[in-house]
Amino acid sequence: FMFEDLGIHIVPENGSKLISKNSDEGKITYAKILNLEPGDKILISTNTSNVASDLLKTIVIENGNIEEYLLLEKRAKLWQSELLKFARDNSHLSVKDLQVILKKKGLKKDVVTIRNWLNDKDIIIPKFRESVIQGIFELRSNFNTSQIEDCLDANNHMISLRSKAREILQGKISEININEDQQSLSISLGKLNLDYDIKEIVSVSDSLVSSRFLYKTITNEALNNREI
């Protein structure tokens, strides 16, 4: 999406965002990226932390189950722990080498994705989780099938919790209408404050870019020069 200030916000076409449709008189909803068009407004989080994770933890803490949640998160991320352990045990391998090994397990991933798996602590649920989780556990010759099943079960539970968290957020935002000239918005959920910039979409275009650009707002020059 391009904005009036020439900023470009990049999102996957199959994703969803908080938006205000031009025809909805300031009402905020979740909408599929594919349904957005010039004149609609998009809400861009300015929070520096992982909003999805913070929202989940806030809801769980309010219900008094934070220890249970942290254990669930650890189980769900066990695939990442396994990959990190494999990388440490084979420290002579480059990311490219690891890419080749994963490909032999049926996981055809680019170097950027693998590097994110190794370094991004906010990743919990990988895309195509069933094949990814199984393939990574099978890097070890003595992998445990029950661990794969437990990790997948925890991932599915996390997805259910995220769905509930989204419903709570949707309920909160359904009470809000933004003004025509409003440029920012804050939403409070318990002790969590969610801050957003409100940007009107000037144009929409399709483009193939690296995943490292996703969910970022950048300039066209930076995108062309690969400055980030």
Side-chain angles (χ1 to χ4, degrees):
F1 302 115
M2 179 173 283
F3 308 126
E4 193 171 46
D5 60 6
L6 302 184
I8 297 173
H9 189 66
I10 302 171
V11 288
E13 64 178 5
N14 61 344
S16 299
K17 292 287 287 187
L18 282 173
I19 64 97
S20 178
K21 293 289 288 181
N22 190 34
S23 57
D24 285 347
E25 299 180 346
K27 188 174 182 179
I28 303 172
T29 59
Y30 258 111
K32 293 291 185 181
I33 298 301
L34 289 173
N35 294 333
L36 298 184
E37 55 190 17
D40 295 337
K41 294 180 179 178
I42 187 169
L43 276 66
I44 300 175
S45 173
T46 59
N47 295 68
T48 56
S49 58
N50 185 306
V51 172
S53 177
D54 287 348
L55 180 58
L56 271 180
K57 289 176 182 177
T58 297
I59 293 168
V60 171
I61 288 172
E62 288 182 346
N63 293 333
N65 297 319
I66 187 59
E67 291 184 3
E68 182 179 337
Y69 169 80
L70 292 175
L71 178 59
L72 176 67
E73 186 180 82
K74 183 177 181 179
R75 288 169 51 211
K77 295 177 68 171
L78 192 57
W79 65 273
Q80 190 180 44
S81 299
E82 286 291 310
L83 182 62
L84 285 167
K85 186 177 185 301
F86 181 84
R88 284 195 298 267
D89 291 346
N90 299 273
S91 57
H92 61 285
L93 296 175
S94 67
V95 177
K96 289 287 290 183
D97 293 331
L98 192 54
Q99 181 187 35
V100 172
I101 293 171
L102 289 171
K103 187 176 181 180
K104 292 178 180 178
K105 297 295 181 181
L107 303 180
K108 298 179 182 180
K109 302 297 177 180
D110 59 41
V111 169
V112 174
T113 296
I114 297 170
R115 191 172 286 120
N116 286 340
W117 286 351
L118 291 168
N119 299 317
D120 191 344
K121 296 180 180 179
D122 287 330
I123 294 177
I124 298 177
I125 304 168
K127 192 174 182 180
F128 306 114
R129 60 188 180 280
E130 292 187 4
S131 59
V132 168
I133 289 171
Q134 180 168 338
I136 287 176
F137 271 93
E138 289 179 355
L139 291 173
R140 287 191 292 117
S141 58
N142 60 339
F143 70 91
N144 190 321
T145 303
S146 63
Q147 283 185 310
I148 297 176
E149 293 172 351
D150 184 65
C151 186
L152 280 170
D153 180 68
N155 269 257
N156 292 334
H157 194 171
M158 289 293 293
I159 290 172
S160 177
L161 283 177
R162 285 184 175 183
S163 178
K164 291 178 181 177
R166 177 170 290 189
E167 288 177 6
I168 291 172
L169 180 57
Q170 285 179 315
K172 186 72 174 179
I173 65 175
S174 67
E175 306 168 358
I176 301 172
N177 278 49
I178 60 174
N179 301 323
E180 178 65 28
D181 59 350
Q182 190 170 338
Q183 297 182 348
S184 62
L185 174 70
S186 292
I187 301 173
S188 295
L189 288 169
K191 295 181 179 180
L192 178 64
N193 292 317
L194 304 176
D195 298 313
Y196 298 90
D197 283 338
I198 302 171
K199 298 282 190 179
E200 182 173 335
I201 299 170
V202 173
S203 64
V204 180
S205 63
D206 296 329
S207 180
L208 293 175
V209 299
S210 168
S211 60
R212 65 194 176 104
F213 290 97
L214 291 179
Y215 304 107
K216 292 181 179 179
T217 302
I218 61 175
T219 65
N220 188 52
E221 182 181 2
L223 180 61
N224 291 333
N225 295 334
R226 303 298 192 265
E227 291 179 358
I228 63 171

